[in-house]
């Protein structure tokens, strides 16, 4: 678990200020939200250092983010989880239903989180045994290319004397009647060779036939070993990558996902998958290239080398101590049941079902029971129709930290286009660079794009930074289509270029017909 311990130490050194600085590399603005999640993450680190007696009494400070779509709520939670190397799952509150209705039950979010944690730990453990898995895969690949000799060498046995008959003679009895008497076999003592079972004569005897057989066997083994080493060298040099081999792979049967009456069939699906795993699945022969066979064999050998129980234990520990669940669109279930019927009747019921999960409950998964008492829950919603007070009081109390995220304006769009590591202008420059098209955005063009995005958001629905994606796609649609035909070429995106490509959009009051 060396890698896991190193990541834990690196996280331990991250102060709230440094956490915010890391988030600033990808998310523009929203200082309040960043500070809130940074403190929540740091508190988890502080809690782990406490004595077990008081540690259990410290509950996580769950966060409720309030703000319009496209301002960075999901991205903040996702980047935080990646920074902390924590199991993370994003769910939509609207996909769950009250127990008794057809749909997913709220416990499935914990099962999904546990699956994410198990996969994370499994990949880390596979990285640790990757070198050994590659060695074993190479031997298995050589067995496919150069099958070993069919005869296996016997284990050494202690030498034991053996009598090899060479003839017999008879003698007459005393009466001289000439009747045949007792026949006595006369032989030469031999010793059985302990290494290969062949016979060798003691001093004074010979066993040339068996010696010849042993010598031929040794020569055959030497030839096989020599050929095997040649193929090993070719494998390392990559000369056999396109050669086709036949391998046998295990295929576990896939069961369709079944959800009804509270999701009880999800547990049945997990049980069926576990039963299928006991019997090893279905074996199937496939013709693949050496390159693909190596990948399959490495994966199989790595799977054999890791301890599944250890994966389950570590994943469960990490989920319970550092797991993060991001519940989006929670405002959509905030409408009380007494405000109308129809689709709203189960919304308050979903809140009641979510409540015990957030408070702390034990959820059954195929990796064992998971305690949700110390999982960090981050809920988010626009709350443009409803308001946080529409949530049931018990659920409101379980989200003590509330932060409002600001709407994005022209200056924010300008920074989003240029500052983050994954800035949109950089993304499109790299994408078109794969076609030998060198794209350069001038400062005036970037400023014009930011102003246009802010204008469209003010006239139509405010979708935040997502508006930049639609504008950039419209701007570069023609260039992206023609790129393979005009390459190599250098294209400068100027303010005039932006006005030319988006002229109709800038003049039309109803920009929604062109930009969603």
């Amino acid at each position: 678990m060396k890698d896991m311990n190193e990541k834990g130490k690196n996280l331990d050194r991250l102060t709230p200020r440094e956490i915010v600085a890391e988030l600033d590399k990808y998310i523009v603005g929203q200082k309040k939200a960043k500070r809130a999640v940074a403190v929540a993450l740091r508190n988890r680190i502080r809690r782990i250092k406490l004595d077990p007696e008081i540690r259990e009494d410290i509950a996580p400070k769950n966060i409720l983010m309030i703000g319009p779509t496209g301002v960075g709520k999901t991205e903040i939670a996702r980047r935080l989880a990646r920074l902390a190397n924590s199991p993370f799952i994003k769910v939509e509150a609207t996909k769950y239903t009250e127990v008794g209705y057809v749909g997913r039950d709220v416990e499935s979010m914990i099962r999904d989180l546990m699956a994410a944690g198990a996969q994370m730990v499994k990949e880390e453990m596979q990285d640790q045994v990757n070198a050994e898995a590659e060695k074993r895969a190479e031997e298995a690949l050589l067995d496919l290319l150069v099958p070993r000799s069919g005869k296996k060498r016997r284990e050494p046995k202690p030498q034991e004397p053996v009598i090899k008959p060479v003839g017999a003679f008879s003698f007459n009895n005393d009466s001289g009647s000439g009747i045949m008497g007792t026949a006595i076999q006369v032989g030469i003592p031999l010793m059985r060779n302990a290494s290969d079972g062949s016979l060798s004569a003691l001093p004074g005897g010979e066993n040339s036939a068996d010696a010849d057989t042993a010598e031929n066997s040794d020569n055959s083994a030497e030839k096989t070993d020599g050929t095997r080493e040649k193929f090993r060298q070719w494998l390392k040099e990559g000369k056999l990558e396109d050669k086709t081999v036949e391998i046998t792979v295990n295929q576990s049967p896939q069961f369709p996902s079944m959800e009804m009456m509270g999701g009880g069939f999800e547990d049945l699906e997990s049980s069926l998958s576990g039963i299928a795993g006991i019997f090893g699945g279905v074996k199937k022969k496939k013709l693949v290239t050496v390159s693909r066979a190596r990948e399959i064999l490495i994966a199989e050998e790595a799977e054999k080398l890791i301890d599944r129980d250890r994966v389950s234990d570590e994943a469960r520990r990490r989920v319970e101590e550092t797991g993060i669940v991001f519940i989006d669109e929670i405002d959509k279930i905030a409408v009380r049941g007494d405000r109308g019927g129809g689709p709203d009747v189960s919304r308050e019921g979903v809140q009641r079902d979510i409540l015990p999960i957030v408070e702390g409950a034990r959820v059954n998964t195929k990796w064992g029971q998971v305690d949700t008492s110390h999982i960090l829950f981050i809920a988010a919603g626009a709350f443009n129709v409803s308001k946080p007070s529409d949530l049931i009081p018990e659920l409101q109390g379980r989200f003590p930290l509330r932060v409002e995220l600001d709407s994005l304006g022209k200056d924010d769009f300008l920074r989003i286009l240029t500052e983050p590591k994954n800035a949109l202008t950089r993304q499109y420059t790299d994408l078109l660079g794969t076609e030998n098209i060198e794209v350069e955005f001038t400062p005036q063009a970037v400023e014009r794009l930011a102003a246009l995005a802010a204008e469209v958001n003010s006239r139509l629905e405010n979708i935040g930074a997502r508006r930049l994606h639609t504008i950039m796609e419209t701007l570069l649609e023609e260039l992206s289509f023609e790129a393979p035909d005009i390459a190599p070429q250098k294209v400068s995106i100027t303010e005039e270029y932006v006005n030319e490509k988006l002229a109709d959009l800038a003049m039309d009051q109803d920009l929604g017909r062109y930009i969603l």
Side-chain angles (χ1 to χ4, degrees), residues 11 34 43 48 93 155 158 185 204 275 339 382 391 480:
L11 177 61
K34 291 176 182 175
N43 280 339
I48 294 175
E155 293 296 326
Q185 287 189 335
I275 293 172
R339 294 191 178 181
L391 294 168
S480 297

Side-chain angles (χ1 to χ4, degrees), residues 65-69 73 328-329 331-332 380-386:
M65 294 185 180
I66 305 168
T69 184
K73 300 188 295 293
D328 203 4
E329 307 290 352
D331 57 314
K332 302 299 188 297
F383 288 99
N384 49 8
V385 175
S386 59

Side-chain angles (χ1 to χ4, degrees), residues 457-468:
N457 272 348
S458 64
R459 292 180 180 178
L460 303 175
E461 188 71 24
N462 185 3
I463 61 172
R466 293 188 177 92
R467 186 72 65 186
L468 291 173

Side-chain angles (χ1 to χ4, degrees), residues 108 128 147 230 270 374:
S108 65
Q128 296 175 9
K230 281 185 179 179
S270 299
H374 300 287

Side-chain angles (χ1 to χ4, degrees), residues 172-190:
N172 295 331
N173 56 14
D174 294 337
S175 61
S177 59
I179 302 174
M180 181 68 71
T182 304
I184 301 177
Q185 287 189 335
V186 179
I188 299 175
L190 302 174

